[in-house]
Every structure is written in C-alpha cells, then in structure tokens.
Amino acid sequence: MNHVVLTGDRPTGPLHLGHYFGSLANRVELQHRHRMYVLVADYQVITDRDLPGEIQRNITELLLDYLAIGLDPAKVMIFQHSAVPELNQLLLPFLSLVSMAELQRNPTVKDEILHSSQSAVSGLMFTYPVHQAADILFCKGTLVPVGRDQLPHVEVTRLVARRFNERYGTVFPVPEAMMGAQPSLKGLDGGKMSKSRGNSIPLKATEDETAALIRRAVTDADRRITFDEERRPGVSGLLTLAGLCLDRPPRELAEEIGDGGAARLKSVTTDAVNDFLRPIRKRRADLDEGAVRAVLREGNATARERAALTLEEVRQAMGF
C-alpha cells in the first residue's frame, strides 16, 4: 500500500541520536516507498516556551541535519509551518471537534506541561495535539512515524478525522502511527534522551565533543558490565546506544566488556558513535546553506498548494 507520510520536528536545537534511531532512520527508508512531507514546525516552538530562540539559525541547522542523514529533496517535500497559513486555518474547525476535557487528559500534553519552560502554561499547549492533527491531515497523511511519547497526539488526529467525516462527510483518511525500531533512547543521564534535558548527543557534534559527552555519562560503581534496563539505566543506555550504532545486541557487548568497567564501556560507546556518525558529518560539512534554504522555499510553495486544496474541500463540506 502506498502511504502519504507526514513527519517533522520543532527547530528548538540540534537533532540527536535519539531522534535518529527513534524516527529519522525510518524516514530515510520510507522516502523510497511513499510520498513524504517533512514539517519544520516553527510555530510549535512557542508551545512550551515564551520565546522561540534563535529560530532562523535553528531552522537552517535542522535542514542541514535532514539532508546529511540522507533525506532526498527530490523524493521528500520539506516545508515550514509558518509559511503555510492555509494549514493553520484548519485548526479552527478541528478544535470544534475535540472537547477541553479530552485535551486535558492527553498524557503527552501533561508531560510537556511538566517540562515546559514557560512562565505560565499557554492555551496553545492544550491545542497542540489539534495543531498536529492539522499538520497531518492537510496533506491527507495516512502514516505518521513517531516515538512512543507522541502516540497520544496521533490518536487525537485519528479522532479529529473520524469526527469530521461523521459530521460533514468523508474528507480525511484516518492515519496510522508507525513506531521506530528504538522508540525511546536513554540519554546520558539514564533518562529519556531529549534536547531540553541536556542529555543527548547531537548529530552534528564533533568527535571530540562526542567523546566528552560520553565521558560525563552517568553509570554506577559496579565494575562488571551487565545489561539491566531497570536497575542499571545508565549502563544499559550506553550499551543500547553502542549496539544500535554497531548493529549488535547490547547484551553481547556487555559480555565482551565484562569486567572492563565504566571506562571500557564509554570507550566502546564513543568509538561506535563516532564511526556511525562520521559519514553523516561528512555529508553535512559538504552542504551549502544557500542551496539548503532553496529546498525549503520550494517545499513551502508546494505545501501551500496542497493546503489550499484541502482547505477548500473542508469549506465545501462544512457548507461555507
């Protein structure tokens, strides 16, 4: 079956290995089989923060990461949220289909409120899942690669699509979520790897920066290296990371390291990560920023055309 895939990221900082193994690797594979839209979700930056930060620089960095990992502009349409006003017009009818109680119960929204850097929680935070529904449905998306923490948002999109079709006639497909092989990678502190928590390894990090980050990773005092995610999250997180980069089972690596302790574990992980990222870093260094921004301009124009068609369908279905 041929799908329309919608995925993307907020330009809040550098993409990291958690993004790669949780979603980005899927995108590189999917682009060869399905039509794909990749969203630079710049408006959504202010969902959980008062100011957008260095938004233009972050957008450029995001584009560089996308092309460096292997996304092909000839196969993938990359576009910027704020450049497609027709997309945002879908938010109003979609909000009328979801109750406030349903939004407040969303576990992902609760977690995002917990980790928000805003002085007060904004109304945009509660509408965030419906905003994502507009992102997915404007292009009639049918497949959404996500990490486990984003599954509740996809469920809101499915709910919006079903309710719109029931109330106004069938316009939207009901999309499916697609989980990555490694949906939630542990960070260097043993918690979930996240840009906002400062426990990640950016894809653009140099070899020396990567080595320094891994040296600071939290482990434990037990010299014998074993894989136990519940009781040894720091050690197991490094084993998982090295295993993903080497395409080897983490338990097998643990047996090899044995009594080598945290120092040996970190050395193995550093070599594995640097070897894995080397070709990505090389492609990134060869990219021209002007050409990268041109890719975004072309994607924005195509996305506006698609969004205008969908918005007109919605208006007609609703009787406007």
Side-chain angles (χ1 to χ4, degrees), residues 108-124:
T108 303
V109 169
K110 290 180 180 179
D111 184 67
E112 287 163 347
I113 288 173
L114 183 65
H115 294 98
S116 171
S117 62
Q118 286 183 311
S119 55
V121 178
S122 71
L124 185 60

PDB file of all heavy atoms in Angstrom, residues 108-124:
ATOM      1  N   THR A 108       0.613  13.094  26.833  1.00  0.00           N
ATOM      2  CA  THR A 108       1.755  13.811  26.263  1.00  0.00           C
ATOM      3  C   THR A 108       1.689  15.290  26.620  1.00  0.00           C
ATOM      4  O   THR A 108       2.710  15.918  26.926  1.00  0.00           O
ATOM      5  CB  THR A 108       1.802  13.624  24.739  1.00  0.00           C
ATOM      6  OG1 THR A 108       1.848  12.222  24.450  1.00  0.00           O
ATOM      7  CG2 THR A 108       3.029  14.276  24.148  1.00  0.00           C
ATOM      8  N   VAL A 109       0.484  15.878  26.578  1.00  0.00           N
ATOM      9  CA  VAL A 109       0.326  17.276  26.974  1.00  0.00           C
ATOM     10  C   VAL A 109       0.711  17.444  28.439  1.00  0.00           C
ATOM     11  O   VAL A 109       1.409  18.403  28.811  1.00  0.00           O
ATOM     12  CB  VAL A 109      -1.128  17.748  26.739  1.00  0.00           C
ATOM     13  CG1 VAL A 109      -1.370  19.107  27.388  1.00  0.00           C
ATOM     14  CG2 VAL A 109      -1.420  17.834  25.246  1.00  0.00           C
ATOM     15  N   LYS A 110       0.306  16.507  29.288  1.00  0.00           N
ATOM     16  CA  LYS A 110       0.660  16.583  30.706  1.00  0.00           C
ATOM     17  C   LYS A 110       2.174  16.578  30.891  1.00  0.00           C
ATOM     18  O   LYS A 110       2.720  17.348  31.690  1.00  0.00           O
ATOM     19  CB  LYS A 110       0.030  15.412  31.465  1.00  0.00           C
ATOM     20  CG  LYS A 110      -1.476  15.483  31.614  1.00  0.00           C
ATOM     21  CD  LYS A 110      -1.996  14.263  32.373  1.00  0.00           C
ATOM     22  CE  LYS A 110      -3.506  14.309  32.540  1.00  0.00           C
ATOM     23  NZ  LYS A 110      -4.018  13.119  33.261  1.00  0.00           N
ATOM     24  N   ASP A 111       2.855  15.711  30.157  1.00  0.00           N
ATOM     25  CA  ASP A 111       4.314  15.630  30.272  1.00  0.00           C
ATOM     26  C   ASP A 111       4.977  16.905  29.752  1.00  0.00           C
ATOM     27  O   ASP A 111       5.949  17.386  30.331  1.00  0.00           O
ATOM     28  CB  ASP A 111       4.827  14.409  29.496  1.00  0.00           C
ATOM     29  CG  ASP A 111       6.329  14.209  29.662  1.00  0.00           C
ATOM     30  OD1 ASP A 111       6.768  13.899  30.782  1.00  0.00           O
ATOM     31  OD2 ASP A 111       7.061  14.381  28.671  1.00  0.00           O
ATOM     32  N   GLU A 112       4.436  17.448  28.648  1.00  0.00           N
ATOM     33  CA  GLU A 112       5.008  18.672  28.084  1.00  0.00           C
ATOM     34  C   GLU A 112       4.791  19.861  29.022  1.00  0.00           C
ATOM     35  O   GLU A 112       5.648  20.749  29.127  1.00  0.00           O
ATOM     36  CB  GLU A 112       4.412  18.935  26.700  1.00  0.00           C
ATOM     37  CG  GLU A 112       4.958  17.969  25.649  1.00  0.00           C
ATOM     38  CD  GLU A 112       4.120  17.911  24.377  1.00  0.00           C
ATOM     39  OE1 GLU A 112       2.986  18.433  24.387  1.00  0.00           O
ATOM     40  OE2 GLU A 112       4.598  17.333  23.401  1.00  0.00           O
ATOM     41  N   ILE A 113       3.665  19.895  29.717  1.00  0.00           N
ATOM     42  CA  ILE A 113       3.431  20.950  30.711  1.00  0.00           C
ATOM     43  C   ILE A 113       4.444  20.823  31.846  1.00  0.00           C
ATOM     44  O   ILE A 113       5.007  21.814  32.321  1.00  0.00           O
ATOM     45  CB  ILE A 113       1.990  20.858  31.252  1.00  0.00           C
ATOM     46  CG1 ILE A 113       0.990  21.315  30.179  1.00  0.00           C
ATOM     47  CG2 ILE A 113       1.832  21.698  32.527  1.00  0.00           C
ATOM     48  CD1 ILE A 113      -0.465  21.110  30.562  1.00  0.00           C
ATOM     49  N   LEU A 114       4.708  19.588  32.266  1.00  0.00           N
ATOM     50  CA  LEU A 114       5.651  19.341  33.349  1.00  0.00           C
ATOM     51  C   LEU A 114       7.046  19.863  33.021  1.00  0.00           C
ATOM     52  O   LEU A 114       7.748  20.392  33.883  1.00  0.00           O
ATOM     53  CB  LEU A 114       5.707  17.832  33.645  1.00  0.00           C
ATOM     54  CG  LEU A 114       6.598  17.384  34.803  1.00  0.00           C
ATOM     55  CD1 LEU A 114       6.072  17.932  36.129  1.00  0.00           C
ATOM     56  CD2 LEU A 114       6.677  15.861  34.848  1.00  0.00           C
ATOM     57  N   HIS A 115       7.449  19.728  31.744  1.00  0.00           N
ATOM     58  CA  HIS A 115       8.798  20.127  31.332  1.00  0.00           C
ATOM     59  C   HIS A 115       8.816  21.466  30.591  1.00  0.00           C
ATOM     60  O   HIS A 115       9.815  21.829  29.981  1.00  0.00           O
ATOM     61  CB  HIS A 115       9.421  19.041  30.448  1.00  0.00           C
ATOM     62  CG  HIS A 115       9.678  17.757  31.180  1.00  0.00           C
ATOM     63  ND1 HIS A 115       8.809  16.693  31.126  1.00  0.00           N
ATOM     64  CD2 HIS A 115      10.688  17.385  32.001  1.00  0.00           C
ATOM     65  CE1 HIS A 115       9.284  15.708  31.872  1.00  0.00           C
ATOM     66  NE2 HIS A 115      10.415  16.096  32.413  1.00  0.00           N
ATOM     67  N   SER A 116       7.712  22.203  30.641  1.00  0.00           N
ATOM     68  CA  SER A 116       7.635  23.485  29.943  1.00  0.00           C
ATOM     69  C   SER A 116       8.563  24.509  30.574  1.00  0.00           C
ATOM     70  O   SER A 116       8.773  24.531  31.784  1.00  0.00           O
ATOM     71  CB  SER A 116       6.191  24.005  29.987  1.00  0.00           C
ATOM     72  OG  SER A 116       6.113  25.319  29.498  1.00  0.00           O
ATOM     73  N   SER A 117       9.114  25.395  29.722  1.00  0.00           N
ATOM     74  CA  SER A 117       9.958  26.489  30.223  1.00  0.00           C
ATOM     75  C   SER A 117       9.189  27.806  30.234  1.00  0.00           C
ATOM     76  O   SER A 117       9.786  28.868  30.404  1.00  0.00           O
ATOM     77  CB  SER A 117      11.210  26.623  29.345  1.00  0.00           C
ATOM     78  OG  SER A 117      10.858  26.947  28.010  1.00  0.00           O
ATOM     79  N   GLN A 118       7.869  27.756  30.044  1.00  0.00           N
ATOM     80  CA  GLN A 118       7.069  28.977  30.064  1.00  0.00           C
ATOM     81  C   GLN A 118       6.822  29.446  31.489  1.00  0.00           C
ATOM     82  O   GLN A 118       6.782  28.643  32.428  1.00  0.00           O
ATOM     83  CB  GLN A 118       5.721  28.740  29.376  1.00  0.00           C
ATOM     84  CG  GLN A 118       5.810  28.649  27.861  1.00  0.00           C
ATOM     85  CD  GLN A 118       4.441  28.477  27.230  1.00  0.00           C
ATOM     86  OE1 GLN A 118       3.670  27.632  27.661  1.00  0.00           O
ATOM     87  NE2 GLN A 118       4.159  29.259  26.216  1.00  0.00           N
ATOM     88  N   SER A 119       6.637  30.757  31.650  1.00  0.00           N
ATOM     89  CA  SER A 119       6.308  31.304  32.961  1.00  0.00           C
ATOM     90  C   SER A 119       4.902  30.881  33.386  1.00  0.00           C
ATOM     91  O   SER A 119       4.612  30.766  34.576  1.00  0.00           O
ATOM     92  CB  SER A 119       6.420  32.829  32.936  1.00  0.00           C
ATOM     93  OG  SER A 119       5.622  33.375  31.895  1.00  0.00           O
ATOM     94  N   ALA A 120       4.021  30.650  32.420  1.00  0.00           N
ATOM     95  CA  ALA A 120       2.677  30.125  32.668  1.00  0.00           C
ATOM     96  C   ALA A 120       2.271  29.289  31.466  1.00  0.00           C
ATOM     97  O   ALA A 120       2.678  29.578  30.343  1.00  0.00           O
ATOM     98  CB  ALA A 120       1.687  31.265  32.894  1.00  0.00           C
ATOM     99  N   VAL A 121       1.483  28.251  31.699  1.00  0.00           N
ATOM    100  CA  VAL A 121       1.066  27.368  30.605  1.00  0.00           C
ATOM    101  C   VAL A 121       0.102  28.119  29.691  1.00  0.00           C
ATOM    102  O   VAL A 121      -0.911  28.659  30.144  1.00  0.00           O
ATOM    103  CB  VAL A 121       0.393  26.095  31.153  1.00  0.00           C
ATOM    104  CG1 VAL A 121      -0.081  25.212  30.010  1.00  0.00           C
ATOM    105  CG2 VAL A 121       1.356  25.338  32.053  1.00  0.00           C
ATOM    106  N   SER A 122       0.407  28.173  28.407  1.00  0.00           N
ATOM    107  CA  SER A 122      -0.431  28.908  27.452  1.00  0.00           C
ATOM    108  C   SER A 122      -1.548  28.022  26.907  1.00  0.00           C
ATOM    109  O   SER A 122      -1.493  26.797  26.987  1.00  0.00           O
ATOM    110  CB  SER A 122       0.424  29.410  26.288  1.00  0.00           C
ATOM    111  OG  SER A 122       0.821  28.329  25.460  1.00  0.00           O
ATOM    112  N   GLY A 123      -2.557  28.691  26.343  1.00  0.00           N
ATOM    113  CA  GLY A 123      -3.640  27.949  25.706  1.00  0.00           C
ATOM    114  C   GLY A 123      -3.150  27.110  24.545  1.00  0.00           C
ATOM    115  O   GLY A 123      -3.730  26.070  24.218  1.00  0.00           O
ATOM    116  N   LEU A 124      -2.064  27.576  23.898  1.00  0.00           N
ATOM    117  CA  LEU A 124      -1.517  26.836  22.762  1.00  0.00           C
ATOM    118  C   LEU A 124      -1.073  25.437  23.163  1.00  0.00           C
ATOM    119  O   LEU A 124      -1.143  24.506  22.365  1.00  0.00           O
ATOM    120  CB  LEU A 124      -0.343  27.610  22.154  1.00  0.00           C
ATOM    121  CG  LEU A 124       0.284  27.044  20.876  1.00  0.00           C
ATOM    122  CD1 LEU A 124      -0.737  26.972  19.755  1.00  0.00           C
ATOM    123  CD2 LEU A 124       1.477  27.898  20.453  1.00  0.00           C
TER     124      LEU A 124
END
